[in-house]
Amino acid sequence: MYLTLLNGTGFVFNVDDYMELRSKHRIMGAPVGTANTKGWSPNQSTLPVELSKFETQLLLDENIAKLVDKSKDLKAKPTAEKLEECKADFESRLLGQEEALKTEKLRETERYMDKILTGKRKKLLKQGKNELAAALTDKDVLLEMSVNFKFDRQNALLEVHCEHPTDHSAQIVTGPIVHTNSLKYRVFKDLWRRGKYVTSGDAFGADFLVYPGDPMIYHASHIVILHEQPVIKPLELIAKVRLSVIVNKSCVFAYEMENNEEEIHYQTVAWCNLGK
Amino acid sequence: MVRQYPIAGCSQTVMYSLDFQLELNDFTTVSPDDLTAALGFQIYNDLKNGNSSIFNSQFNIYYYALEEESAEFQPNYDPNLKVFYLMKNDDVYIPVLHTKAIDFRIVKSLHKKLKKRCVLNVMKIIFMFLTTLFPISNIFLAVVDNTANILYYQMSEGLSENQSTKTAVK
């Protein structure tokens, strides 16, 4: 599996790769492409999928994927021959939509055939063409639609940015793209190795969100806050725990000991209604 | 501390009751400093008063049981961990002033120590048949702010998934 380096992180352009990452390796990423002519919408996002830097680094460390840089090849000025070939391919893909769109139009016509026939017959009756109205059939309508169909490029569908269709060269990216010794990356990796689904916790004022299963199906069960030292101010603890109560998630503090041991420690803190 | 005094409203046959309430001096003798003793005593009163409020809707005789129950609070100080805590059955309450930092290492070490105690008690049961099994304790932080309000937080090791979060009602 290859990830493409863009903006300092890995992107996935192959739909099968993305499904494998999500279902097999619990890597979520974020679809950042769009097929909407009005612009990008989070509800209609599609390929490519942008992985976080931690996700990208994890896949490299676990030898699940390789990271490649295509900028040298794709940014190079194309030859005249290659440019013509590219234009021809684009034209071919564009015209390929004509037949598909025509087929869809005919299918839609069949779907609403009763209403169309009723309308056309009514119009013919008003014009005094009773015989034509009586003789009108489904085939006549479909034939008319087929003959009169014209493909307008403004109605063409936008192409989803998938894998580059033609052969091209790329360079393998070596070396880390994040500080692999940082506490945040090590916590992310540790949680992932524990079988958790891990996403960014920015929206909840935390470092990570932990899900028991795919975020598309489950709500997050924990918010994780990192601490470089195993000491915390009470007011900070109170604020974080109260936030977790409001969003109905468990609050977990991740820290490491000061004796340079590599083990990550987790402390779950939950508010209790004791006393008066 | 044991004292005897008449209970108002009770019949003549129940003239006296044993008072097992802890006093501030009980904390002072255990705590490393007066501030910690005062915090512990404040938490004790809060928890005790929370329990004793049940008495208002129960029979008089239940009062004795609640008093006996509140008497099970034990102030402790661990010189190795340098931590003062209030213990009751299988629960541990660590008083924390809102201006003093919380050290997760101490909580973790206390967890380990209480687990070891559980193991030791199991050994006692096997060989002596005298000691009751001591369950793994729940550890609570009791954060006291400058308005004498106390917030309790249960501390669990690891990614505990048994926590039931609910909206604060105070």
Side-chain angles (χ1 to χ4, degrees), chain B residues 4 7-8 15 21 25 30 54 63 65 125 128-129 146 166:
Chain B
Q4 295 184 349
I7 303 176
M15 298 299 296
Q21 293 189 28
N25 188 52
V30 176
I54 302 173
Y63 181 75
I125 290 173
M128 301 178 66
F129 305 102
N146 54 2
K166 55 185 178 180

Side-chain angles (χ1 to χ4, degrees), chain A residues 19 40 43 83 85 99 112 126 144 160 170 181 205 228:
Chain A
M19 293 308 298
W40 188 84
N43 296 324
L83 188 59
E85 183 182 350
E99 191 62 31
Y112 298 102
K126 283 184 178 180
E144 181 184 356
V160 172
N181 289 330
E228 296 290 341

Side-chain angles (χ1 to χ4, degrees), chain B residues 11-166:
Chain B
S11 64
Q12 292 296 324
T13 58
V14 184
M15 298 299 296
Y16 298 96
S17 173
L18 295 176
D19 181 10
F20 293 93
Q21 293 189 28
L22 298 173
E23 301 292 339
L24 178 59
N25 188 52
D26 298 316
F27 292 83
T28 306
T29 54
V30 176
S31 302
D33 54 72
D34 291 341
L35 176 60
T36 303
L39 290 178
F41 186 61
Q42 188 172 351
I43 292 166
Y44 166 74
N45 283 325
D46 186 64
L47 293 172
K48 181 193 69 174
N49 292 337
N51 288 329
S52 63
S53 64
I54 302 173
F55 171 74
N56 297 331
S57 59
Q58 301 295 324
F59 298 110
N60 289 345
I61 196 167
Y62 196 45
Y63 181 75
Y64 181 85
L66 287 173
E67 287 296 331
E68 188 177 30
E69 186 181 13
S70 67
E72 295 176 0
F73 283 103
Q74 294 180 355
N76 293 276
Y77 178 73
D78 190 313
N80 294 325
L81 300 179
K82 297 182 180 178
V83 62
F84 172 86
Y85 57 92
L86 197 62
M87 197 168 206
K88 177 185 176 183
N89 296 329
D90 57 348
D91 293 336
V92 170
Y93 304 90
I94 305 174
V96 177
L97 195 62
H98 76 290
T99 54
K100 186 177 180 182
I102 299 165
D103 195 331
F104 288 132
R105 292 171 295 183
I106 294 177
V107 177
K108 190 175 183 66
S109 299
L110 197 57
H111 268 300
K112 289 182 178 179
K113 188 166 186 177
L114 294 173
K115 285 181 180 178
K116 288 181 179 179
R117 183 179 298 192
C118 176
V119 173
L120 291 176
N121 285 335
V122 170
M123 298 299 292
K124 287 181 180 179
I125 290 173
I126 293 174
F127 293 103
M128 301 178 66
F129 305 102
L130 293 175
T131 310
T132 304
L133 178 64
F134 193 86
I136 297 176
S137 299
N138 294 314
I139 296 180
F140 298 90
L141 288 185
V143 181
V144 185
D145 65 12
N146 54 2
T147 64
N149 185 42
I150 304 175
L151 294 172
Y152 297 92
Y153 297 93
Q154 184 173 3
M155 312 294 283
S156 305
E157 286 189 289
L159 290 163
S160 176
E161 296 183 358
N162 295 323
Q163 300 298 319
S164 59
T165 56
K166 55 185 178 180

Side-chain angles (χ1 to χ4, degrees), chain A residues 35-76:
Chain A
N36 191 333
T37 55
K38 296 182 179 179
W40 188 84
S41 168
N43 296 324
Q44 299 178 356
S45 56
T46 181
L47 290 177
V49 172
E50 179 181 3
L51 305 180
S52 69
K53 291 186 177 182
F54 287 168
E55 289 173 326
T56 303
Q57 187 64 49
L58 178 78
L59 294 176
L60 300 180
D61 291 346
E62 298 293 317
N63 294 318
I64 296 171
K66 292 183 178 179
L67 186 63
V68 295
D69 184 359
K70 304 178 179 179
S71 59
K72 184 177 180 181
D73 185 48
L74 297 182
K75 287 182 178 179

